[in-house]
Amino acid sequence: MPVEILHRRSGTLLYTLDAESLQGADLQGADLRGANLRDANLQGAYLRGANLQGADLRDANLQGADLRDANLQGADLRGANLQGAYLRGANLQDVQPAWGSHDLMAEVLHRAAGEDLERLQVAGLVLLQRDWCWSEFLALDHPQMEWALQALAAWAGGDEYAPSSVHRYYCAPELEVAP
């Protein structure tokens, strides 16, 4: 049974895959610009080098997906499960982020840290402490926490849901924790 991927606004057919589902699908290099993949199960999918520019990936399951070198520019990742997703080299410019994703936040911090080992430690801690809420990270007495919050705020571009916000931050995408 073929799976069809449509453009999220025009409804134009973007990609057809002869498979039962998108879970574990090989979509390497696929042109999925503007695709409607909301709520899609892309667990373990091979999306290396895929063009997902402007794609709607809200609430999609991208757990363990290979997104290395993928173009996610302008993609909507709110509520997406990115646990264990490979994001090295992915274009994350202007994405609407999943603030509850430790993997995405760790990747952003890893890129911002460069070769600075203390900053890389913070990125690693975000990745390792998946059970921590942002309130626990904000309470850390670590010399690089202020840098981390500034790096996330700069990347967020004023997003009010960013964990650096003094007003609100998330423990998980659906659970708000008041400061």
Side-chain angles (χ1 to χ4, degrees):
M1 178 175 150
V3 173
E4 294 181 342
I5 300 173
L6 307 176
H7 190 278
R8 72 180 190 176
R9 290 194 177 89
S10 69
T12 306
L13 179 64
L14 295 174
Y15 202 84
T16 303
L17 183 68
D18 190 24
E20 291 296 313
S21 78
L22 294 174
Q23 183 174 346
D26 184 350
L27 295 165
Q28 179 178 5
D31 186 355
L32 301 171
R33 285 178 286 179
N36 182 3
L37 294 165
R38 186 173 188 169
D39 296 314
N41 184 0
L42 291 158
Q43 183 176 355
Y46 190 64
L47 291 155
R48 188 172 191 170
N51 189 349
L52 292 155
Q53 183 176 358
D56 184 352
L57 291 159
R58 285 177 289 171
D59 302 315
N61 182 3
L62 291 159
Q63 184 176 6
D66 188 341
L67 291 160
R68 288 176 289 176
D69 303 318
N71 182 5
L72 292 165
Q73 183 177 2
D76 191 341
L77 296 170
R78 291 176 293 172
N81 177 358
L82 292 160
Q83 185 173 354
Y86 301 100
L87 294 162
R88 299 287 171 184
N91 180 354
L92 300 174
Q93 182 180 350
D94 299 325
V95 299
Q96 294 177 20
W99 288 112
S101 171
H102 287 240
D103 296 80
L104 181 60
M105 297 304 103
E107 179 63 24
V108 168
L109 291 173
H110 178 265
R111 292 177 186 193
E115 300 296 320
D116 187 308
L117 290 178
E118 283 189 354
R119 291 178 176 180
L120 286 169
Q121 286 176 343
V122 174
L125 184 63
V126 169
L127 193 57
L128 290 173
Q129 294 302 122
R130 292 180 189 279
D131 59 332
W132 280 19
C133 299
W134 285 112
S135 57
E136 292 167 288
F137 287 110
L138 292 170
L140 271 180
D141 184 22
H142 188 283
Q144 294 299 323
M145 279 310 295
E146 187 61 34
W147 161 82
L149 294 175
Q150 289 173 358
L152 290 174
W155 182 74
D159 184 339
E160 67 175 305
Y161 298 107
S164 57
S165 169
V166 295
H167 299 294
R168 60 173 89 181
Y169 42 87
Y170 285 84
C171 180
E174 69 282 348
L175 179 62
E176 185 175 333
V177 180

